[in-house]
Amino acid sequence: MGIEERLPSGIALTTVENLAGYMRKSSIWPATFGLACCAIEMMAVGTPHYDIARFGMERFAATPRRADLMIVAGRVSNKMAPVVRRVYDQMANPKWVISMGVCASSGGMFNNYAIVRGVDHIIPVDIYLPGCPPRPEMLLNAIITLHEQIQSTPPGVNRVAAARAAEKAALGATPTELQPPTHDHEGLLGRNLPA
């Protein structure tokens, strides 16, 4: 006979980690960081139609010191990269990042020297949200996925060690343009040409 059978009805059992995870996921304050067209979709999530307030996230913080979630919405230019990093460093711990849109995740269609080839080269990213631009429903799905991740993340020293390891791996990653090609496009195109 376990402890559950001996307790009177109406008593819930949980661990401190589960309770802390529930409280953390239910009190996230995102920072306002819209950089391009994806920011319009991010703003739409705050309207009554999508109602981000049901997740306890209706307060978009205008200061990084009162935020613990950065939603990078749009392309990050090389000029904006140090600002993104500074805002991330000033955010309260524990902190999370959602990379919203293909431009923030991989540079998108902008294959030039001015755009960073993914915000994960600057800061560690927890959730990648694809799309150009992603719909508000997709952002809500990413937030729910992040809530599940926060709920299961252990608090304290383990979170700090995991964040440092993720940041070290992201900053040490080889940029996409320096990686070896995975396909021989010239050989494939040559075979398809009419004689």
Side-chain angles (χ1 to χ4, degrees):
M1 184 178 223
I3 192 169
E4 293 85 8
E5 289 83 16
R6 294 179 185 231
L7 290 173
S9 63
I11 297 212
L13 296 176
T14 186
T15 64
V16 174
E17 285 188 355
N18 284 345
L19 187 60
Y22 179 78
M23 288 188 289
R24 276 187 293 158
K25 82 170 189 171
S26 301
S27 61
I28 295 177
W29 286 356
T32 52
F33 214 88
L35 296 171
C37 46
C38 289
I40 303 296
E41 303 296 323
M42 181 177 69
M43 287 183 255
V45 172
T47 63
H49 183 73
Y50 297 103
D51 192 24
I52 198 172
R54 62 189 152 158
F55 299 111
M57 299 175 62
E58 68 274 4
R59 184 191 176 279
F60 275 81
T63 173
R65 290 174 183 87
R66 294 197 180 116
D68 50 7
L69 170 64
M70 177 186 284
I71 303 173
V72 181
R75 60 190 178 269
V76 180
S77 66
N78 285 325
K79 280 183 150 182
M80 186 56 74
V83 177
V84 172
R85 183 62 200 204
R86 186 178 318 122
V87 169
Y88 177 80
D89 288 338
Q90 291 176 353
M91 287 170 55
N93 281 321
K95 51 192 166 190
W96 297 275
V97 176
I98 294 178
S99 176
M100 183 176 177
V102 69
C103 292
S105 299
S106 66
M109 66 188 106
F110 302 100
N111 190 10
N112 59 34
Y113 66 92
I115 303 299
V116 176
R117 305 305 299 164
V119 74
D120 55 358
H121 291 286
I122 305 165
I123 56 176
V125 175
D126 295 292
I127 302 288
Y128 292 93
L129 176 57
C132 183
R135 298 276 307 138
E137 296 92 345
M138 295 171 69
L139 179 57
L140 290 177
N141 184 41
I143 289 169
I144 292 170
T145 305
L146 182 66
H147 280 183
E148 293 168 359
Q149 182 178 333
I150 292 170
Q151 176 77 41
S152 63
T153 301
V157 180
N158 296 332
R159 165 72 181 157
V160 173
R164 285 190 181 144
E167 184 172 5
K168 184 178 179 183
L171 293 176
T174 305
T176 316
E177 59 267 8
L178 298 179
Q179 292 178 357
T182 57
H183 297 77
D184 181 19
H185 295 289
E186 292 180 11
L188 291 174
L189 291 176
R191 282 192 299 239
N192 295 333
L193 293 175

